[in-house]
Amino acid sequence: MAVYTDVTAEELSAHLARYDIGELLSFKGIAEGVENTNFLLHTTGGSFILTLYEKRVDPADLPFFIGLMEHLAARGLTCPQPVRMKDGATLGELAGRPAAIVTFLDGMWIRRPQVHHCAAVGRALAQLHLAGQGFALTRVNALSVPGWRPLAERAGARADTVAPGLAATIAAELDHCERSWPKSLPTGVIHADLFNDNVFFLHDQLSGLIDFYFACNDILAYDLAICLNAWCFSADFEFDFAKGSAMIAAYQAVRPLSGDETAALPLLARGSALRFLLTRLVDWLYVPPGAVVTPKDPIEYLKKLRFHQKVASPTEYGLA
Amino acid sequence: MAVYTDVTAEELSAHLARYDIGELLSFKGIAEGVENTNFLLHTTGGSFILTLYEKRVDPADLPFFIGLMEHLAARGLTCPQPVRMKDGATLGELAGRPAAIVTFLDGMWIRRPQVHHCAAVGRALAQLHLAGQGFALTRVNALSVPGWRPLAERAGARADTVAPGLAATIAAELDHCERSWPKSLPTGVIHADLFNDNVFFLHDQLSGLIDFYFACNDILAYDLAICLNAWCFSADFEFDFAKGSAMIAAYQAVRPLSGDETAALPLLARGSALRFLLTRLVDWLYVPPGAVVTPKDPIEYLKKLRFHQKVASPTEYGLA
């Protein structure tokens, strides 16, 4: 939950005068997103999400994030669509924060996804990768391989307080990834954080993707590896072959993987597991005083990493 | 902000099958209310608020609160209207908590109320007092005079850490209120917590009253005294005669005060200031570890109390 910044009805009504979305009927701070403050607005024009970008988001990245949502929505992907002001701008300022309004998406995220949900995610991810082509702006993935060593150093020996031997496991895996990371796979815009709570379903159909605030340019198949980790493990962190193979097949039906991409998938999955292990570990070890967000358990990603380390062939993920 | 209890889409959809409000389109935990967990639901039938009652609410009080909203709404007061399930019940259970769904009210609360807002509140309060007549259930006000001494004892000498001499001020005021509190003024259902954030306005017209979770049976004019304290002081806690007199006049246009009520108003205002001083003081002194709600400054109510202590005649509030 996260309402870091307070907005008054008076301020918000004045802000909405810059838009053509009708008159404000109500607004509620919603407990969604850990990085920014979000309000659900009802206006005579419909429902919208107002986001105030808090200090963890670099304002220099906002044109990329907002432009990307506009680019993807224009190409038929169901994602929040930034609303333009009367003067054409999509980014304003409210309560001292950069602020944007996007369309509201119906749908709910699924706590216990089934095989067909994983297939729907694979399909939508491939559609996102195709729709992202031609987007003019670029953004480096700060959480790709070069970003991992500083995280590992930040955790340091304290990693072993979370699990015995974890620091050594991380050091070895980091060496392996840095040494072997593929250099010539197809790249493009990736979501980079397409976890359960960022995918909405309605009547069991995928109804939209949200939260593009980790989106960046990187290896496309790495995004699929992130989704395999996020969606295709059981509650006790065993790989679910039915879910994994369904996700990969649905992805390939829209965007077939090359031989190189297929061959690299086990390594990309290891890297993805390491990336979330590291960020969760650092969040876990350095909970800021007064934090209202409970850090996620890093151990989940250690278990996933151990699975990928043992994978001998991409066929173990269900690749034909 | 307050989302204490997590609800899954799967659980909520199953719960909604007991109602006739259409199919679930989305739900968001909202940062509203400090006692309970609230979700804003969009269904094919409209917008609703789902409340899960947390442990600070006594389940034995829920029939009073929910029945009261239904009683008042049926009499034309704009307040959340409990939605009946197909079997007629208004109270269910979800995620291990008592749960109710009420209609969604458009409108926003006003941060800096003006004179006409105060008049609208006075009018609505009197309408609430009239509409409450005939409501069959009763609830003792646990925060009326007999409830104040235990709070004062809980704060004890620690009150002086908040303001020098505060413990003695409280002791003397408590003696005065216990000795002089009126015994024969008209009673009925009161809201007991009609602060700014519990009154919605739309196009500068009062559009609804919310949060009936302090409602109880008590002296009607005491409710007006609570509103005078909550609405009719300036930002530096000086009484605003224009606001106070407008509120009282608007109240009297709907429900004229008797001579006894008028005469008692200064004392009721002192008692009301003492009540909020005490609850805020205790919350301030005993912030629970890990609290996500910032306690409100008790000093505001000490200043209001000092104003009322000096009032020599009800005419100082604008009473004719």
Side-chain angles (χ1 to χ4, degrees):
Chain A
M1 71 180 125
V3 177
Y4 302 104
T5 303
D6 195 25
V7 170
T8 67
E10 295 91 327
E11 281 176 303
L12 181 53
S13 293
H15 185 69
L16 290 191
R18 297 183 62 186
Y19 291 86
D20 249 337
I21 57 172
E23 213 172 322
L24 186 61
L25 297 176
S26 77
F27 71 106
K28 309 282 179 194
I30 59 174
E32 206 144 288
V34 293
E35 301 276 335
N36 300 312
T37 297
N38 290 294
F39 294 92
L40 168 48
L41 317 183
H42 289 179
T43 77
T44 48
S47 297
F48 301 89
I49 298 286
L50 163 70
T51 300
L52 304 188
Y53 298 98
E54 302 292 342
K55 56 176 179 287
R56 281 184 70 170
V57 175
D58 182 350
D61 283 333
L62 291 175
F64 178 88
F65 298 141
I66 293 170
L68 176 60
M69 287 189 274
E70 200 166 32
H71 178 92
L72 295 174
R75 276 148 193 84
L77 202 87
T78 317
C79 68
Q81 184 156 6
V83 179
R84 287 189 174 270
M85 301 182 203
K86 291 169 186 166
D87 66 4
T90 48
L91 193 61
E93 191 183 297
L94 184 58
R97 303 282 186 288
I101 292 177
V102 300
T103 53
F104 181 85
L105 289 189
D106 284 336
M108 280 84 60
W109 66 276
I110 300 288
R111 222 54 76 105
R112 285 176 291 277
Q114 297 159 34
V115 171
H116 71 277
H117 296 117
C118 295
V121 170
R123 190 161 42 242
L125 187 73
Q127 287 164 343
L128 187 160
H129 290 167
L130 296 184
Q133 290 173 356
F135 180 52
L137 303 180
T138 58
R139 180 174 179 263
V140 169
N141 186 1
L143 290 170
S144 187
V145 191
W148 298 343
R149 189 162 291 276
L151 290 169
E153 285 166 358
R154 180 121 205 268
R158 288 185 66 185
D160 288 350
T161 63
V162 173
L166 182 55
T169 300
I170 287 172
E173 186 63 26
L174 190 50
D175 285 345
H176 177 71
C177 285
E178 286 179 345
R179 213 168 35 234
S180 327
W181 202 249
K183 301 263 184 289
S184 55
L185 295 180
T187 59
V189 173
I190 71 168
H191 185 284
D193 196 42
L194 201 58
F195 278 69
N196 301 25
D197 52 345
N198 289 332
V199 182
F200 287 171
F201 286 88
L202 201 57
H203 317 126
D204 245 17
Q205 304 291 312
L206 192 149
S207 62
L209 309 179
I210 64 163
D211 198 348
F212 288 78
Y213 300 109
F214 285 93
C216 54
N217 293 78
D218 207 338
I219 295 170
L220 295 176
Y222 176 62
D223 218 8
L224 179 57
I226 291 172
C227 287
L228 287 171
N229 275 319
W231 290 83
C232 303
F233 281 76
S234 67
D236 50 355
F237 313 121
E238 298 286 329
F239 183 70
D240 186 319
F241 185 85
K243 289 179 181 172
S245 55
M247 177 180 279
I248 293 171
Y251 183 94
Q252 297 220 72
V254 177
R255 180 183 172 271
L257 296 168
S258 70
D260 286 351
E261 285 179 300
T262 299
L265 203 61
L267 176 59
L268 297 172
R270 286 172 68 158
S272 154
L274 179 62
R275 172 254 186 268
F276 287 99
L277 170 59
L278 285 169
T279 48
R280 288 189 179 189
L281 178 63
V282 168
D283 287 347
W284 186 269
L285 292 174
Y286 299 94
V287 178
V292 293
V293 178
T294 311
K296 289 176 179 151
D297 188 355
I299 293 304
E300 173 184 340
Y301 271 86
L302 176 60
K303 292 179 178 164
K304 291 175 178 177
L305 174 59
R306 288 201 176 124
F307 167 78
H308 298 304
Q309 287 174 330
K310 290 191 205 122
V311 165
S313 152
T315 56
E316 293 180 48
Y317 298 114
L319 272 153
Chain B
M1 70 180 126
V3 177
Y4 302 104
T5 302
D6 196 23
V7 170
T8 68
E10 295 89 330
E11 281 177 303
L12 181 54
S13 293
H15 185 70
L16 289 191
R18 297 183 62 185
Y19 291 86
D20 249 338
I21 56 173
E23 213 172 322
L24 186 61
L25 297 177
S26 77
F27 71 106
K28 308 283 180 194
I30 59 174
E32 205 144 286
V34 292
E35 302 276 335
N36 301 312
T37 297
N38 290 293
F39 293 92
L40 169 47
L41 317 183
H42 288 179
T43 78
T44 49
S47 297
F48 301 88
I49 298 287
L50 163 70
T51 301
L52 304 188
Y53 297 97
E54 302 293 343
K55 55 178 183 286
R56 281 185 70 169
V57 175
D58 182 350
D61 283 334
L62 292 174
F64 178 88
F65 298 141
I66 293 170
L68 176 61
M69 287 189 273
E70 200 166 33
H71 179 95
L72 295 174
R75 276 148 194 84
L77 202 88
T78 318
C79 68
Q81 184 158 4
V83 178
R84 288 190 174 271
M85 299 182 204
K86 291 169 185 167
D87 67 4
T90 47
L91 192 61
E93 191 183 297
L94 184 59
R97 305 281 187 286
I101 292 177
V102 300
T103 53
F104 181 85
L105 290 189
D106 283 337
M108 281 83 60
W109 66 276
I110 300 289
R111 222 53 75 105
R112 285 176 292 276
Q114 298 160 33
V115 171
H116 70 278
H117 296 117
C118 296
V121 170
R123 188 160 46 243
L125 187 73
Q127 287 164 344
L128 187 161
H129 290 167
L130 295 184
Q133 290 173 358
F135 179 52
L137 302 180
T138 58
R139 179 174 179 264
V140 169
N141 186 0
L143 290 169
S144 187
V145 191
W148 298 344
R149 189 162 291 275
L151 289 170
E153 284 166 0
R154 179 119 205 270
R158 290 185 64 185
D160 289 349
T161 64
V162 173
L166 181 55
T169 300
I170 287 172
E173 186 63 25
L174 189 51
D175 286 345
H176 175 73
C177 285
E178 286 179 343
R179 210 167 41 232
S180 328
W181 202 249
K183 301 262 184 288
S184 54
L185 294 181
T187 60
V189 173
I190 71 167
H191 185 285
D193 196 43
L194 202 58
F195 278 68
N196 302 26
D197 53 345
N198 289 332
V199 181
F200 287 170
F201 286 87
L202 202 57
H203 316 126
D204 246 16
Q205 305 290 313
L206 192 148
S207 63
L209 309 180
I210 64 163
D211 198 349
F212 288 80
Y213 300 109
F214 285 94
C216 54
N217 294 78
D218 206 338
I219 294 169
L220 296 175
Y222 176 62
D223 218 9
L224 179 58
I226 291 172
C227 287
L228 288 170
N229 274 320
W231 291 82
C232 304
F233 280 76
S234 68
D236 51 354
F237 313 122
E238 298 286 329
F239 183 71
D240 186 320
F241 185 85
K243 290 179 179 171
S245 55
M247 177 179 279
I248 292 170
Y251 183 95
Q252 297 221 72
V254 177
R255 179 182 173 271
L257 297 168
S258 70
D260 285 351
E261 287 179 298
T262 299
L265 203 61
L267 176 58
L268 296 172
R270 286 172 68 160
S272 154
L274 179 62
R275 172 257 186 264
F276 287 99
L277 170 59
L278 285 170
T279 49
R280 289 189 178 190
L281 178 63
V282 168
D283 287 345
W284 187 269
L285 292 175
Y286 299 94
V287 178
V292 293
V293 177
T294 311
K296 290 175 178 155
D297 188 355
I299 294 303
E300 174 184 339
Y301 271 86
L302 176 60
K303 291 179 179 164
K304 291 175 178 177
L305 174 60
R306 288 200 176 125
F307 166 79
H308 298 303
Q309 287 174 330
K310 289 192 206 123
V311 165
S313 151
T315 56
E316 292 180 47
Y317 296 113
L319 273 152

